[in-house]
Amino acid sequence: MGVMQRDLERRLRAVEAAGSAGIEIWIEQDDGTVRGPRGEQMMREEAEALGRVSGKLTIVISETDARL
């Protein structure tokens, strides 16, 4: 099992335990921003803050990992 898969499983267990409002997966872009599930683009810190406010766990992955 790869590091990425173990990390994702750990985060998903944390979501279940915390009763989170869900998860959002964001994709890192070449320009240093991240792209959200609805196409929005912002800095990683902004996406993580938005996740905290909404109660969702924010997971940021590379475009390469997104293709796996």
Side-chain angles (χ1 to χ4, degrees):
M1 181 183 304
V3 172
M4 175 73 176
Q5 187 175 358
R6 282 193 304 268
D7 184 53
L8 181 58
E9 287 180 3
R10 180 185 56 79
R11 289 173 182 245
L12 290 173
R13 281 192 295 275
V15 169
E16 288 177 341
S20 174
I23 63 171
E24 286 191 339
I25 298 175
W26 292 68
I27 310 296
E28 291 177 323
Q29 304 298 296
D30 291 334
D31 63 2
T33 62
V34 292
R35 187 180 68 243
R38 292 168 295 283
E40 62 271 52
Q41 198 161 340
M42 61 187 70
M43 298 303 295
R44 181 181 184 142
E45 295 79 16
E46 294 172 307
E48 290 171 343
L50 187 62
R52 283 191 297 275
V53 169
S54 67
K56 294 182 180 176
L57 176 65
T58 302
I59 299 174
V60 179
I61 61 174
S62 70
E63 286 194 71
T64 302
D65 289 337
R67 291 188 196 115
L68 296 177

